[in-house]
Amino acid sequence: MTAPDTLPPELAELGELLREDPPRPDAKWARELDSRAAAGFPRPPRRSPWAVLKPARRFLVPAVSFACVALLVVGLSTADLSSDDSGGSSSAGGAAVSESSQGSESSGDTAAPASRRPLSADSAGGSPGSDGRDRRYQVRNAQLTLAVRPRDVEKTAAGVLRVADVRGGFVASSTVSDEGGTFELRIPTARLNGALADLSKLGKVRSRTQSSEDITAESVSARGRLREAQREREGLLRALANATTLNETESVKARLRTVNDRIATLRAAARRVANRAAYANVSVELVSERSGAAPVGDDGRWTPGDALRDAVRVLEVAAGIALIVLALLLPLALLGGVGALAARGLGHRRRERALDMA
Amino acid sequence: MSATLEPPTSAGPAGLDFDALYRDARDDVYAYVVTLLHSRAAAEDVTAQAFERAFRKARSYNPGKGGPRAWLFGIARNAALDELRRGKRVATLVAEPVDAAAATDEAAERALERAAVRDALAGLPPRDREVIALKFHAGLDNAELAAVLGVSVSNAGTQLHRAMTKLRKAVDDRS
């Protein structure tokens, strides 16, 4: 063992001989390296990623075009599905539904959703397809609870009425007080989603539920009984025309009156069933809350308190996002660090092994 | 070389003059690498690669971890070991001829001694060649040697002594 940087004379002499005669580089190579160093070791030009894709460009352009068109179609169809009001007629304010409007609903434009699958027969009137129609009739119900500020109750109540009117519905009943209010609305079924969207903008939505009830069998049964009565009436009319005696005539007329009354009753029943399918029941409850959202159409009174709440909310969301990102990145960073250390150690060991095996 | 080299960024680390380091160490790095690899072609490539890596990594130079030469030779060592690992090029080093006729008797004698040492060195294992080349061709002191090899200073001194002892024996065996 020797002290650092000192060797015994016989070894130091060898060192001197080595120092005197180190391997020298080729002069031409040295000049070239000097030039490269003076130029800052320029990198060879990199191949552009586009150059890599060059052979595939022929197929790439049509593929990208097709993808764009497909995206466009999907986007348009999605937008079409979401705008459920576009196909509906604007029969605003109609409290009563006439027979003609029932007919238009039967065409499938505005009534409850239709389905082509067969339904099971009901006890009264058979299957929906038994009379040649396979539409399904559904009663749709929705319940919405909105939180509003006490001072906005009245304004929001007016907004609820306005939505019902604009969407072609009507208010079946309503109660409004300082504490809030309740509204029973009838909205054309085809416009239910749009109406709910409008109503949801009026305040902070505390709850929103929707349900539906299939009344196809009920509808089919009512119409069947009506047709039956109408056929009976036609028969009675024929019998009346053929009646020869006074007694016979009076008897047929009495039966006709009974059948006419029954037809009126059955027609009203059929209309009620159709109306139930054509109009959705929407219950809106207004709840007065201090922290309720400001309704849309507020008169621009955006207070410093509102600003503070908004700012806090923005900070909350930003902090949440940062936390999620951190939660995702931290393990990745740890894994990356461990991987880098392992790779470094492995590389070191491989190099040392290469030296031993040379 | 007339142009002054600048690291990739204008704000290079304090204490690293790459231009001066290049001028001072070019031949030494080459001598070390060729002694280790036994191939002039490979040594040229590896030396150029080492300087290029050093130029690109100039920002990562930390004076607290050693001098610029130790840092540079560490990079050169890694590049040389990578070349060894790839193992593509075999040794093709040919010893330079001794011009004994043109020299005086004493100079000729010295030249022969140098040739003998060079031949003996070429026969040593790579680890011994490496430590000797770092010491006598690159001119590193034991502290720098330790930094390049990743060992303690005393361990570096021990490795050097053992390598030189082997070299002495190899020279004696050849004479």
Side-chain angles (χ1 to χ4, degrees), chain B residues 59-90:
Chain B
R59 277 183 299 179
S60 68
Y61 168 65
N62 181 1
K65 290 184 179 175
R69 282 180 73 86
W71 174 74
L72 174 65
F73 276 92
I75 293 173
R77 182 175 191 259
N78 283 341
L81 295 190
D82 286 343
E83 174 67 23
L84 267 183
R85 194 148 63 92
R86 284 191 291 271
K88 286 177 184 169
R89 282 174 274 206
V90 293

PDB file of all heavy atoms in Angstrom, chain B residues 59-90:
ATOM      1  N   ARG B  59     -24.266  21.803 -18.580  1.00  0.00           N
ATOM      2  CA  ARG B  59     -25.054  22.411 -17.507  1.00  0.00           C
ATOM      3  C   ARG B  59     -25.081  21.533 -16.257  1.00  0.00           C
ATOM      4  O   ARG B  59     -25.305  22.014 -15.170  1.00  0.00           O
ATOM      5  CB  ARG B  59     -26.480  22.664 -17.990  1.00  0.00           C
ATOM      6  CG  ARG B  59     -26.621  23.951 -18.762  1.00  0.00           C
ATOM      7  CD  ARG B  59     -28.046  24.163 -19.136  1.00  0.00           C
ATOM      8  NE  ARG B  59     -28.538  23.088 -19.991  1.00  0.00           N
ATOM      9  CZ  ARG B  59     -29.770  23.000 -20.451  1.00  0.00           C
ATOM     10  NH1 ARG B  59     -30.649  23.897 -20.114  1.00  0.00           N
ATOM     11  NH2 ARG B  59     -30.129  22.017 -21.234  1.00  0.00           N
ATOM     12  N   SER B  60     -24.895  20.217 -16.462  1.00  0.00           N
ATOM     13  CA  SER B  60     -24.994  19.319 -15.321  1.00  0.00           C
ATOM     14  C   SER B  60     -23.681  19.210 -14.550  1.00  0.00           C
ATOM     15  O   SER B  60     -23.606  18.506 -13.553  1.00  0.00           O
ATOM     16  CB  SER B  60     -25.426  17.926 -15.788  1.00  0.00           C
ATOM     17  OG  SER B  60     -24.389  17.341 -16.550  1.00  0.00           O
ATOM     18  N   TYR B  61     -22.641  19.891 -15.038  1.00  0.00           N
ATOM     19  CA  TYR B  61     -21.361  19.826 -14.330  1.00  0.00           C
ATOM     20  C   TYR B  61     -21.475  20.488 -12.958  1.00  0.00           C
ATOM     21  O   TYR B  61     -21.965  21.613 -12.833  1.00  0.00           O
ATOM     22  CB  TYR B  61     -20.270  20.521 -15.148  1.00  0.00           C
ATOM     23  CG  TYR B  61     -19.001  20.743 -14.358  1.00  0.00           C
ATOM     24  CD1 TYR B  61     -18.249  19.663 -13.921  1.00  0.00           C
ATOM     25  CD2 TYR B  61     -18.581  22.028 -14.014  1.00  0.00           C
ATOM     26  CE1 TYR B  61     -17.105  19.850 -13.173  1.00  0.00           C
ATOM     27  CE2 TYR B  61     -17.434  22.229 -13.276  1.00  0.00           C
ATOM     28  CZ  TYR B  61     -16.701  21.137 -12.856  1.00  0.00           C
ATOM     29  OH  TYR B  61     -15.576  21.326 -12.104  1.00  0.00           O
ATOM     30  N   ASN B  62     -21.047  19.759 -11.944  1.00  0.00           N
ATOM     31  CA  ASN B  62     -21.113  20.269 -10.579  1.00  0.00           C
ATOM     32  C   ASN B  62     -19.703  20.327 -10.010  1.00  0.00           C
ATOM     33  O   ASN B  62     -19.099  19.285  -9.733  1.00  0.00           O
ATOM     34  CB  ASN B  62     -21.994  19.333  -9.743  1.00  0.00           C
ATOM     35  CG  ASN B  62     -22.129  19.814  -8.314  1.00  0.00           C
ATOM     36  OD1 ASN B  62     -21.583  20.864  -7.947  1.00  0.00           O
ATOM     37  ND2 ASN B  62     -22.846  19.055  -7.514  1.00  0.00           N
ATOM     38  N   PRO B  63     -19.156  21.528  -9.821  1.00  0.00           N
ATOM     39  CA  PRO B  63     -17.778  21.634  -9.323  1.00  0.00           C
ATOM     40  C   PRO B  63     -17.602  20.972  -7.964  1.00  0.00           C
ATOM     41  O   PRO B  63     -16.495  20.545  -7.605  1.00  0.00           O
ATOM     42  CB  PRO B  63     -17.566  23.153  -9.217  1.00  0.00           C
ATOM     43  CG  PRO B  63     -18.628  23.770 -10.055  1.00  0.00           C
ATOM     44  CD  PRO B  63     -19.772  22.836 -10.044  1.00  0.00           C
ATOM     45  N   GLY B  64     -18.683  20.880  -7.217  1.00  0.00           N
ATOM     46  CA  GLY B  64     -18.580  20.264  -5.900  1.00  0.00           C
ATOM     47  C   GLY B  64     -18.280  18.781  -5.956  1.00  0.00           C
ATOM     48  O   GLY B  64     -17.862  18.187  -4.961  1.00  0.00           O
ATOM     49  N   LYS B  65     -18.494  18.154  -7.102  1.00  0.00           N
ATOM     50  CA  LYS B  65     -18.271  16.704  -7.205  1.00  0.00           C
ATOM     51  C   LYS B  65     -16.913  16.364  -7.820  1.00  0.00           C
ATOM     52  O   LYS B  65     -16.649  15.198  -8.099  1.00  0.00           O
ATOM     53  CB  LYS B  65     -19.384  16.069  -8.042  1.00  0.00           C
ATOM     54  CG  LYS B  65     -20.727  16.056  -7.351  1.00  0.00           C
ATOM     55  CD  LYS B  65     -21.746  15.320  -8.203  1.00  0.00           C
ATOM     56  CE  LYS B  65     -23.091  15.276  -7.499  1.00  0.00           C
ATOM     57  NZ  LYS B  65     -24.138  14.671  -8.335  1.00  0.00           N
ATOM     58  N   GLY B  66     -16.096  17.350  -8.077  1.00  0.00           N
ATOM     59  CA  GLY B  66     -14.790  17.081  -8.664  1.00  0.00           C
ATOM     60  C   GLY B  66     -14.449  18.105  -9.727  1.00  0.00           C
ATOM     61  O   GLY B  66     -15.299  18.903 -10.140  1.00  0.00           O
ATOM     62  N   GLY B  67     -13.182  18.029 -10.178  1.00  0.00           N
ATOM     63  CA  GLY B  67     -12.730  18.984 -11.180  1.00  0.00           C
ATOM     64  C   GLY B  67     -13.294  18.674 -12.551  1.00  0.00           C
ATOM     65  O   GLY B  67     -13.857  17.596 -12.777  1.00  0.00           O
ATOM     66  N   PRO B  68     -13.114  19.608 -13.505  1.00  0.00           N
ATOM     67  CA  PRO B  68     -13.633  19.386 -14.860  1.00  0.00           C
ATOM     68  C   PRO B  68     -13.026  18.169 -15.549  1.00  0.00           C
ATOM     69  O   PRO B  68     -13.699  17.459 -16.281  1.00  0.00           O
ATOM     70  CB  PRO B  68     -13.253  20.666 -15.598  1.00  0.00           C
ATOM     71  CG  PRO B  68     -12.907  21.656 -14.565  1.00  0.00           C
ATOM     72  CD  PRO B  68     -12.515  20.921 -13.347  1.00  0.00           C
ATOM     73  N   ARG B  69     -11.743  17.910 -15.283  1.00  0.00           N
ATOM     74  CA  ARG B  69     -11.097  16.765 -15.951  1.00  0.00           C
ATOM     75  C   ARG B  69     -11.684  15.446 -15.453  1.00  0.00           C
ATOM     76  O   ARG B  69     -11.927  14.526 -16.226  1.00  0.00           O
ATOM     77  CB  ARG B  69      -9.587  16.803 -15.711  1.00  0.00           C
ATOM     78  CG  ARG B  69      -8.872  17.814 -16.601  1.00  0.00           C
ATOM     79  CD  ARG B  69      -7.375  17.807 -16.321  1.00  0.00           C
ATOM     80  NE  ARG B  69      -6.704  16.613 -16.844  1.00  0.00           N
ATOM     81  CZ  ARG B  69      -6.246  16.484 -18.092  1.00  0.00           C
ATOM     82  NH1 ARG B  69      -6.403  17.470 -18.940  1.00  0.00           N
ATOM     83  NH2 ARG B  69      -5.637  15.381 -18.470  1.00  0.00           N
ATOM     84  N   ALA B  70     -11.900  15.377 -14.130  1.00  0.00           N
ATOM     85  CA  ALA B  70     -12.500  14.149 -13.589  1.00  0.00           C
ATOM     86  C   ALA B  70     -13.895  13.945 -14.183  1.00  0.00           C
ATOM     87  O   ALA B  70     -14.282  12.831 -14.551  1.00  0.00           O
ATOM     88  CB  ALA B  70     -12.575  14.229 -12.067  1.00  0.00           C
ATOM     89  N   TRP B  71     -14.646  15.037 -14.297  1.00  0.00           N
ATOM     90  CA  TRP B  71     -15.996  14.966 -14.872  1.00  0.00           C
ATOM     91  C   TRP B  71     -15.946  14.499 -16.329  1.00  0.00           C
ATOM     92  O   TRP B  71     -16.678  13.601 -16.741  1.00  0.00           O
ATOM     93  CB  TRP B  71     -16.619  16.365 -14.765  1.00  0.00           C
ATOM     94  CG  TRP B  71     -17.942  16.507 -15.431  1.00  0.00           C
ATOM     95  CD1 TRP B  71     -19.135  16.026 -15.011  1.00  0.00           C
ATOM     96  CD2 TRP B  71     -18.196  17.221 -16.649  1.00  0.00           C
ATOM     97  NE1 TRP B  71     -20.124  16.383 -15.883  1.00  0.00           N
ATOM     98  CE2 TRP B  71     -19.578  17.120 -16.900  1.00  0.00           C
ATOM     99  CE3 TRP B  71     -17.398  17.931 -17.545  1.00  0.00           C
ATOM    100  CZ2 TRP B  71     -20.181  17.710 -18.005  1.00  0.00           C
ATOM    101  CZ3 TRP B  71     -17.995  18.506 -18.649  1.00  0.00           C
ATOM    102  CH2 TRP B  71     -19.373  18.409 -18.873  1.00  0.00           C
ATOM    103  N   LEU B  72     -14.994  15.085 -17.070  1.00  0.00           N
ATOM    104  CA  LEU B  72     -14.879  14.738 -18.486  1.00  0.00           C
ATOM    105  C   LEU B  72     -14.444  13.283 -18.657  1.00  0.00           C
ATOM    106  O   LEU B  72     -14.992  12.561 -19.496  1.00  0.00           O
ATOM    107  CB  LEU B  72     -13.867  15.678 -19.153  1.00  0.00           C
ATOM    108  CG  LEU B  72     -13.527  15.351 -20.596  1.00  0.00           C
ATOM    109  CD1 LEU B  72     -14.747  15.531 -21.489  1.00  0.00           C
ATOM    110  CD2 LEU B  72     -12.393  16.248 -21.103  1.00  0.00           C
ATOM    111  N   PHE B  73     -13.476  12.858 -17.853  1.00  0.00           N
ATOM    112  CA  PHE B  73     -13.007  11.479 -18.000  1.00  0.00           C
ATOM    113  C   PHE B  73     -14.059  10.477 -17.526  1.00  0.00           C
ATOM    114  O   PHE B  73     -14.082   9.338 -18.000  1.00  0.00           O
ATOM    115  CB  PHE B  73     -11.672  11.292 -17.268  1.00  0.00           C
ATOM    116  CG  PHE B  73     -10.510  11.717 -18.130  1.00  0.00           C
ATOM    117  CD1 PHE B  73     -10.009  13.004 -18.076  1.00  0.00           C
ATOM    118  CD2 PHE B  73      -9.944  10.828 -19.035  1.00  0.00           C
ATOM    119  CE1 PHE B  73      -8.958  13.402 -18.889  1.00  0.00           C
ATOM    120  CE2 PHE B  73      -8.901  11.219 -19.857  1.00  0.00           C
ATOM    121  CZ  PHE B  73      -8.407  12.509 -19.790  1.00  0.00           C
ATOM    122  N   GLY B  74     -14.913  10.892 -16.606  1.00  0.00           N
ATOM    123  CA  GLY B  74     -16.033  10.032 -16.220  1.00  0.00           C
ATOM    124  C   GLY B  74     -16.948   9.802 -17.405  1.00  0.00           C
ATOM    125  O   GLY B  74     -17.393   8.666 -17.674  1.00  0.00           O
ATOM    126  N   ILE B  75     -17.213  10.872 -18.138  1.00  0.00           N
ATOM    127  CA  ILE B  75     -18.057  10.738 -19.337  1.00  0.00           C
ATOM    128  C   ILE B  75     -17.363   9.870 -20.379  1.00  0.00           C
ATOM    129  O   ILE B  75     -17.968   8.991 -20.995  1.00  0.00           O
ATOM    130  CB  ILE B  75     -18.366  12.144 -19.908  1.00  0.00           C
ATOM    131  CG1 ILE B  75     -19.258  12.904 -18.921  1.00  0.00           C
ATOM    132  CG2 ILE B  75     -19.027  12.044 -21.266  1.00  0.00           C
ATOM    133  CD1 ILE B  75     -19.477  14.351 -19.296  1.00  0.00           C
ATOM    134  N   ALA B  76     -16.069  10.112 -20.556  1.00  0.00           N
ATOM    135  CA  ALA B  76     -15.314   9.334 -21.540  1.00  0.00           C
ATOM    136  C   ALA B  76     -15.282   7.860 -21.150  1.00  0.00           C
ATOM    137  O   ALA B  76     -15.398   6.969 -22.004  1.00  0.00           O
ATOM    138  CB  ALA B  76     -13.891   9.878 -21.642  1.00  0.00           C
ATOM    139  N   ARG B  77     -15.160   7.597 -19.866  1.00  0.00           N
ATOM    140  CA  ARG B  77     -15.128   6.200 -19.399  1.00  0.00           C
ATOM    141  C   ARG B  77     -16.454   5.503 -19.720  1.00  0.00           C
ATOM    142  O   ARG B  77     -16.459   4.367 -20.210  1.00  0.00           O
ATOM    143  CB  ARG B  77     -14.878   6.181 -17.887  1.00  0.00           C
ATOM    144  CG  ARG B  77     -14.779   4.777 -17.332  1.00  0.00           C
ATOM    145  CD  ARG B  77     -14.422   4.788 -15.866  1.00  0.00           C
ATOM    146  NE  ARG B  77     -14.080   3.458 -15.418  1.00  0.00           N
ATOM    147  CZ  ARG B  77     -14.917   2.662 -14.742  1.00  0.00           C
ATOM    148  NH1 ARG B  77     -16.120   3.108 -14.425  1.00  0.00           N
ATOM    149  NH2 ARG B  77     -14.531   1.465 -14.376  1.00  0.00           N
ATOM    150  N   ASN B  78     -17.551   6.199 -19.420  1.00  0.00           N
ATOM    151  CA  ASN B  78     -18.861   5.601 -19.715  1.00  0.00           C
ATOM    152  C   ASN B  78     -19.006   5.308 -21.208  1.00  0.00           C
ATOM    153  O   ASN B  78     -19.502   4.258 -21.603  1.00  0.00           O
ATOM    154  CB  ASN B  78     -19.983   6.534 -19.259  1.00  0.00           C
ATOM    155  CG  ASN B  78     -20.177   6.483 -17.755  1.00  0.00           C
ATOM    156  OD1 ASN B  78     -19.740   5.540 -17.101  1.00  0.00           O
ATOM    157  ND2 ASN B  78     -20.833   7.489 -17.213  1.00  0.00           N
ATOM    158  N   ALA B  79     -18.569   6.262 -22.026  1.00  0.00           N
ATOM    159  CA  ALA B  79     -18.672   6.065 -23.478  1.00  0.00           C
ATOM    160  C   ALA B  79     -17.802   4.891 -23.918  1.00  0.00           C
ATOM    161  O   ALA B  79     -18.207   4.077 -24.760  1.00  0.00           O
ATOM    162  CB  ALA B  79     -18.257   7.341 -24.208  1.00  0.00           C
ATOM    163  N   ALA B  80     -16.615   4.791 -23.332  1.00  0.00           N
ATOM    164  CA  ALA B  80     -15.708   3.698 -23.704  1.00  0.00           C
ATOM    165  C   ALA B  80     -16.274   2.354 -23.256  1.00  0.00           C
ATOM    166  O   ALA B  80     -16.206   1.359 -23.996  1.00  0.00           O
ATOM    167  CB  ALA B  80     -14.335   3.938 -23.072  1.00  0.00           C
ATOM    168  N   LEU B  81     -16.842   2.325 -22.053  1.00  0.00           N
ATOM    169  CA  LEU B  81     -17.407   1.061 -21.564  1.00  0.00           C
ATOM    170  C   LEU B  81     -18.630   0.663 -22.385  1.00  0.00           C
ATOM    171  O   LEU B  81     -18.888  -0.519 -22.596  1.00  0.00           O
ATOM    172  CB  LEU B  81     -17.760   1.167 -20.081  1.00  0.00           C
ATOM    173  CG  LEU B  81     -16.571   1.378 -19.133  1.00  0.00           C
ATOM    174  CD1 LEU B  81     -17.004   1.224 -17.686  1.00  0.00           C
ATOM    175  CD2 LEU B  81     -15.447   0.392 -19.433  1.00  0.00           C
ATOM    176  N   ASP B  82     -19.391   1.675 -22.817  1.00  0.00           N
ATOM    177  CA  ASP B  82     -20.524   1.365 -23.710  1.00  0.00           C
ATOM    178  C   ASP B  82     -20.014   0.720 -24.993  1.00  0.00           C
ATOM    179  O   ASP B  82     -20.615  -0.219 -25.520  1.00  0.00           O
ATOM    180  CB  ASP B  82     -21.300   2.645 -24.034  1.00  0.00           C
ATOM    181  CG  ASP B  82     -22.141   3.108 -22.854  1.00  0.00           C
ATOM    182  OD1 ASP B  82     -22.366   2.281 -21.942  1.00  0.00           O
ATOM    183  OD2 ASP B  82     -22.536   4.288 -22.838  1.00  0.00           O
ATOM    184  N   GLU B  83     -18.924   1.247 -25.495  1.00  0.00           N
ATOM    185  CA  GLU B  83     -18.333   0.696 -26.710  1.00  0.00           C
ATOM    186  C   GLU B  83     -17.849  -0.733 -26.459  1.00  0.00           C
ATOM    187  O   GLU B  83     -18.076  -1.627 -27.292  1.00  0.00           O
ATOM    188  CB  GLU B  83     -17.162   1.589 -27.156  1.00  0.00           C
ATOM    189  CG  GLU B  83     -16.354   1.074 -28.336  1.00  0.00           C
ATOM    190  CD  GLU B  83     -17.138   1.060 -29.651  1.00  0.00           C
ATOM    191  OE1 GLU B  83     -18.119   1.833 -29.751  1.00  0.00           O
ATOM    192  OE2 GLU B  83     -16.788   0.265 -30.534  1.00  0.00           O
ATOM    193  N   LEU B  84     -17.249  -0.936 -25.302  1.00  0.00           N
ATOM    194  CA  LEU B  84     -16.791  -2.282 -24.958  1.00  0.00           C
ATOM    195  C   LEU B  84     -17.972  -3.241 -24.857  1.00  0.00           C
ATOM    196  O   LEU B  84     -17.900  -4.392 -25.256  1.00  0.00           O
ATOM    197  CB  LEU B  84     -16.082  -2.252 -23.599  1.00  0.00           C
ATOM    198  CG  LEU B  84     -14.575  -2.062 -23.572  1.00  0.00           C
ATOM    199  CD1 LEU B  84     -14.076  -2.129 -22.143  1.00  0.00           C
ATOM    200  CD2 LEU B  84     -13.864  -3.130 -24.409  1.00  0.00           C
ATOM    201  N   ARG B  85     -19.064  -2.728 -24.277  1.00  0.00           N
ATOM    202  CA  ARG B  85     -20.258  -3.559 -24.082  1.00  0.00           C
ATOM    203  C   ARG B  85     -20.839  -3.976 -25.427  1.00  0.00           C
ATOM    204  O   ARG B  85     -21.300  -5.096 -25.592  1.00  0.00           O
ATOM    205  CB  ARG B  85     -21.289  -2.771 -23.271  1.00  0.00           C
ATOM    206  CG  ARG B  85     -22.404  -3.612 -22.715  1.00  0.00           C
ATOM    207  CD  ARG B  85     -22.873  -3.034 -21.407  1.00  0.00           C
ATOM    208  NE  ARG B  85     -23.423  -1.692 -21.592  1.00  0.00           N
ATOM    209  CZ  ARG B  85     -24.698  -1.430 -21.812  1.00  0.00           C
ATOM    210  NH1 ARG B  85     -25.551  -2.423 -21.888  1.00  0.00           N
ATOM    211  NH2 ARG B  85     -25.120  -0.200 -21.951  1.00  0.00           N
ATOM    212  N   ARG B  86     -20.854  -3.009 -26.339  1.00  0.00           N
ATOM    213  CA  ARG B  86     -21.373  -3.352 -27.661  1.00  0.00           C
ATOM    214  C   ARG B  86     -20.473  -4.385 -28.340  1.00  0.00           C
ATOM    215  O   ARG B  86     -20.931  -5.239 -29.076  1.00  0.00           O
ATOM    216  CB  ARG B  86     -21.482  -2.098 -28.533  1.00  0.00           C
ATOM    217  CG  ARG B  86     -22.679  -1.214 -28.177  1.00  0.00           C
ATOM    218  CD  ARG B  86     -22.889  -0.158 -29.223  1.00  0.00           C
ATOM    219  NE  ARG B  86     -21.829   0.830 -29.221  1.00  0.00           N
ATOM    220  CZ  ARG B  86     -21.846   1.942 -28.481  1.00  0.00           C
ATOM    221  NH1 ARG B  86     -22.867   2.188 -27.681  1.00  0.00           N
ATOM    222  NH2 ARG B  86     -20.859   2.804 -28.540  1.00  0.00           N
ATOM    223  N   GLY B  87     -19.123  -4.247 -28.053  1.00  0.00           N
ATOM    224  CA  GLY B  87     -18.179  -5.258 -28.521  1.00  0.00           C
ATOM    225  C   GLY B  87     -18.122  -5.431 -30.018  1.00  0.00           C
ATOM    226  O   GLY B  87     -17.895  -6.524 -30.516  1.00  0.00           O
ATOM    227  N   LYS B  88     -18.401  -4.372 -30.769  1.00  0.00           N
ATOM    228  CA  LYS B  88     -18.447  -4.514 -32.224  1.00  0.00           C
ATOM    229  C   LYS B  88     -17.050  -4.525 -32.849  1.00  0.00           C
ATOM    230  O   LYS B  88     -16.818  -5.187 -33.835  1.00  0.00           O
ATOM    231  CB  LYS B  88     -19.256  -3.375 -32.835  1.00  0.00           C
ATOM    232  CG  LYS B  88     -20.743  -3.520 -32.604  1.00  0.00           C
ATOM    233  CD  LYS B  88     -21.475  -2.354 -33.161  1.00  0.00           C
ATOM    234  CE  LYS B  88     -22.958  -2.458 -32.846  1.00  0.00           C
ATOM    235  NZ  LYS B  88     -23.670  -1.224 -33.134  1.00  0.00           N
ATOM    236  N   ARG B  89     -16.214  -3.721 -32.233  1.00  0.00           N
ATOM    237  CA  ARG B  89     -14.911  -3.575 -32.882  1.00  0.00           C
ATOM    238  C   ARG B  89     -13.831  -4.312 -32.089  1.00  0.00           C
ATOM    239  O   ARG B  89     -13.741  -4.159 -30.872  1.00  0.00           O
ATOM    240  CB  ARG B  89     -14.550  -2.094 -33.010  1.00  0.00           C
ATOM    241  CG  ARG B  89     -15.278  -1.455 -34.149  1.00  0.00           C
ATOM    242  CD  ARG B  89     -15.040   0.005 -34.184  1.00  0.00           C
ATOM    243  NE  ARG B  89     -15.986   0.699 -33.330  1.00  0.00           N
ATOM    244  CZ  ARG B  89     -16.362   1.948 -33.519  1.00  0.00           C
ATOM    245  NH1 ARG B  89     -15.873   2.645 -34.511  1.00  0.00           N
ATOM    246  NH2 ARG B  89     -17.208   2.509 -32.706  1.00  0.00           N
ATOM    247  N   VAL B  90     -13.056  -5.064 -32.758  1.00  0.00           N
ATOM    248  CA  VAL B  90     -11.990  -5.810 -32.087  1.00  0.00           C
ATOM    249  C   VAL B  90     -10.717  -4.956 -32.082  1.00  0.00           C
ATOM    250  O   VAL B  90     -10.609  -3.966 -32.807  1.00  0.00           O
ATOM    251  CB  VAL B  90     -11.701  -7.151 -32.799  1.00  0.00           C
ATOM    252  CG1 VAL B  90     -12.888  -8.073 -32.650  1.00  0.00           C
ATOM    253  CG2 VAL B  90     -11.369  -6.916 -34.253  1.00  0.00           C
TER     254      VAL B  90
END
